[in-house]
Amino acid sequence: MEISHNHLLSKPSYPRYYAFQRMEKVIKAMQHRQTGIPIKSQKLFLTTISNAFTGEDLIDWLEKNLEIEEIDEALHLATLLCKFGYYFQVTENGSTNVKEDSELYRFQSPYFWISTNWNAGHIDYAIYLLKRTMRNQEKHGLNDLELTILEDLRKKLAHQWDFVKMQADAQIKVLKDRKKAEKTFLDSQERAFWKIMRSANNSSSVLEEDARVNLMQVNPKFTKKDEFIRKKISFFEQSLKNRVRTKASQALQNLCAYSEIYFEYDGIFGHCQPSNPWITDDTTMWEVSSPLVEQPTQLRVKKWLFSFRELLSDPTGVREFMKFCEVEFSVENLKFYLACQAVKRAPLSELPILVHKIYKEHLSPEAGAEVNVNDIIRNKITKELDNPSRTIFYEAEKHIFELMKKNSYSRFEQSEIYKNLLEKAIIPAPKKSKIFHFVTLDYFRNRDESTDESDDDEQRGDFVAGGIYAPTAQSISAAAAGLTLSIAAAAGIKRHFSSSIDGKSDTAGLAIQNEN
């Protein structure tokens, strides 16, 4: 094997360097002679493994030295260190999941640590796989995935396969002369190394890097520091020149214009058409605002002219736009766009079937409703059909959206279909909200009613204020729980109570005059 001399990994500026540095610091503390994990010869069936430790000792050391209180956290940390290849399990399967049991582990040689930036080539891996086929198949046999990889390597390295076979034979002969304990240790060490360098396709690899890491790496072609700095300065200067600046006054002006456009559609700042159902008990607003209606309101139809996305966000607008596209024989674009939206919301299990159906209907050479996309986009989609994702039609969807926006939508705004919709659109009549929506006409009574009837009401504990007779306190509290008072209603209450108080004072004055 050859070690790559890539200097990025050894520099402190490299992002992953600090993660490796911390993990290796813990590993070195584990190997301390006095305070580390107790390492000694351990029995594995009839074989003695030297310099080994158990999973139970590993977990105990982590809890004690790293002050870990929960066992799950210690198991997780131990498993991560094992997956990074700092120690390995001395068994036939070589599992990387650490448990608090008597399984034996050994520390990996620092020569094989990831921080040394190993560059394991195809030849090394082919020798390892071929060597296992020459040994006992029950213990060292290859699985289906490894057999497939070996066949691929045999084709790629056909001109070097004799060398690979010769190296595998030589290593097998050297291995036969070793003791059983050494064989077990070397097999486990080699298996642990290749699990990291060539992990299976269905499992994650610790060698995978975050995409943001590449943004922080130094470009290797800039060998001189001064040249790299000059390039960076030039890049930032160009960025400053091409930067689009927007004044705060312009941003505020745009915000005000946006607020004015959508003012009538805001239930808080504007008004609810025809009335607020929470105040008037009229549910007309909910009926006319449902996703699909036979006859939309005038405000709703006008909103479709704000933008093409506003039209497509309204199911009723999509239905009317579909009718217009059918008249113009361009309905395939809208159907393709709606199908792309369905792909984004479809379950993963149904995704391949749905993608192939859309491709067959709109993009294949024999498509009955073919859409107008260029060959570059079409070929890219064709290559991804075997393993489709939710974004497979992203570029095609964007292209079709722009076509509809420039052509079909602009004609829809000026069409007779839209004008007829605007003329026939309903304008719900507003309803006046009541001050006390739970008070009926039976509660309003005159002062000239019989005194006995008033006395009976007072005996029942009813509330009398300003000539308004309300129900009992219990019914008032229950109805007032859903009461919503506006500013105008509050002003009306104030005027009403003021007039009633004046009326009471006049009545009291007449009574005093009569007594005199």
Side-chain angles (χ1 to χ4, degrees), residues 269-283:
F269 297 102
H271 61 280
C272 299
Q273 199 181 61
S275 60
N276 192 334
W278 298 104
I279 297 178
T280 61
D281 290 338
D282 181 24
T283 60

Side-chain angles (χ1 to χ4, degrees), residues 7-54:
H7 65 284
L8 295 177
L9 198 60
S10 60
K11 283 191 173 183
S13 59
Y14 189 78
R16 299 189 72 188
Y17 172 83
Y18 298 103
F20 293 139
Q21 189 181 41
R22 290 190 175 186
M23 287 189 289
E24 290 168 8
K25 186 177 180 180
V26 174
I27 295 299
K28 291 176 182 178
M30 289 180 179
Q31 294 176 336
H32 195 272
R33 292 184 178 180
Q34 297 178 355
T35 60
I37 298 175
I39 300 174
K40 55 186 178 180
S41 298
Q42 305 279 355
K43 284 286 186 178
L44 182 64
F45 297 105
L46 301 177
T47 308
T48 302
I49 305 297
S50 61
N51 300 326
F53 57 93
T54 62

Side-chain angles (χ1 to χ4, degrees), residues 258-273 285 289 297-307 310 314 418 422:
Y258 178 86
S259 302
E260 290 176 0
I261 293 174
Y262 287 90
F263 178 78
E264 295 182 349
Y265 301 90
D266 196 302
I268 298 177
F269 297 102
H271 61 280
C272 299
Q273 199 181 61
M285 189 199 76
S289 300
T297 61
Q298 192 177 74
L299 280 177
R300 189 170 183 175
V301 176
K302 288 181 179 179
K303 192 176 182 182
W304 298 344
L305 295 183
F306 290 172
S307 67
E310 285 287 355
D314 188 352
Y418 178 77
L422 193 60

Side-chain angles (χ1 to χ4, degrees), residues 343 350-360 381 384-385 388-389 392-393:
V343 169
E350 302 176 3
L351 195 61
I353 300 175
L354 186 59
V355 167
H356 282 80
K357 181 181 178 182
I358 296 172
Y359 178 82
K360 185 178 180 180
I381 294 173
E384 298 179 6
L385 282 177
S389 63
I392 185 173
F393 299 117

Side-chain angles (χ1 to χ4, degrees), residues 73-233:
E73 185 178 353
L75 290 171
H76 176 68
L77 179 58
T79 301
L80 283 180
L81 293 174
C82 187
K83 286 184 177 180
F84 274 92
Y86 290 108
Y87 47 81
F88 56 89
Q89 192 178 97
V90 188
T91 55
E92 298 297 338
N93 56 0
S95 175
T96 57
N97 294 323
V98 180
K99 299 180 180 179
E100 192 179 11
D101 53 14
S102 58
E103 288 290 342
L104 299 183
Y105 297 85
R106 282 196 65 166
F107 287 107
Q108 183 67 281
S109 174
Y111 183 72
F112 295 105
W113 285 356
I114 302 177
S115 57
T116 58
N117 202 10
W118 272 91
N119 186 13
H122 293 315
I123 295 177
D124 301 314
Y125 193 47
I127 294 172
Y128 166 71
L129 294 178
L130 187 60
K131 186 172 60 175
R132 286 176 56 187
T133 59
M134 299 177 182
R135 303 180 65 184
N136 187 355
Q137 294 300 309
E138 293 182 1
K139 295 183 179 180
H140 308 285
L142 302 180
N143 55 34
D144 296 338
L145 178 61
E146 290 173 336
L147 287 172
T148 305
I149 295 174
L150 181 60
E151 290 299 324
D152 293 340
L153 291 175
R154 192 191 301 271
K155 296 177 183 178
K156 292 179 181 178
L157 304 174
H159 60 291
Q160 293 179 312
W161 196 249
D162 292 336
F163 171 77
V164 172
K165 190 174 181 180
M166 182 181 64
Q167 289 291 328
D169 291 334
Q171 293 186 19
I172 289 291
K173 291 179 181 178
V174 173
L175 195 63
K176 288 180 178 179
D177 298 334
R178 295 182 179 273
K179 296 181 180 180
K180 185 177 180 180
E182 293 182 0
K183 289 181 182 179
T184 305
F185 163 67
L186 292 174
D187 290 341
S188 301
Q189 186 181 39
E190 199 171 17
R191 186 184 296 108
F193 174 79
W194 286 113
K195 273 194 173 183
I196 297 173
M197 293 302 168
R198 297 293 178 94
S199 59
N201 294 334
N202 57 352
S203 61
S204 59
S205 173
V206 296
L207 299 179
E208 295 177 359
E209 297 181 3
D210 192 342
R212 295 169 293 183
V213 171
N214 297 327
L215 301 177
M216 295 182 284
Q217 285 185 356
V218 181
N219 198 329
K221 68 181 181 181
F222 296 139
T223 55
K224 296 182 180 180
K225 187 176 181 181
D226 295 339
E227 184 182 358
F228 172 72
I229 293 175
R230 283 195 298 269
K231 291 282 186 179
K232 282 290 183 183
I233 292 174

Side-chain angles (χ1 to χ4, degrees), residues 470-489:
T472 60
Q474 183 178 2
S475 60
I476 289 178
S477 60
L483 181 61
T484 304
L485 291 178
S486 62
I487 298 176

